[in-house]
Amino acid sequence: PGNLKALLLAGTAAFDKADYALATTHWDRAAAAGPSDNPMVQQARAGAAEARARGQAPAGTASAPKP
């Protein structure tokens, strides 16, 4: 659940399916799973911002992960 690489990959898979809310959820969790200077964390933050822009989701309101 807190594996940074797994969360990044899950976010990418959701983004590729245009499930921007789920991508944001995964990438927000990834951003919280590591230090802010980690390049993967920075990538997660950038991805979440892009997913929010595409899905018109306000910051900090990501949906819960789907089962």
Side-chain angles (χ1 to χ4, degrees):
N3 183 294
L4 182 55
K5 190 169 185 177
L7 291 167
L8 283 171
L9 292 172
T12 299
F15 189 90
D16 288 347
K17 294 178 183 176
D19 189 344
Y20 302 121
L22 184 58
T24 301
T25 298
H26 289 307
W27 286 333
D28 282 343
R29 289 179 59 206
S36 61
D37 63 342
N38 183 318
M40 289 194 296
V41 168
Q42 294 168 359
Q43 179 182 2
R45 286 186 181 143
E50 177 67 20
R52 280 190 188 90
R54 291 193 184 201
Q56 301 299 312
T61 60
S63 66
K66 294 179 183 175

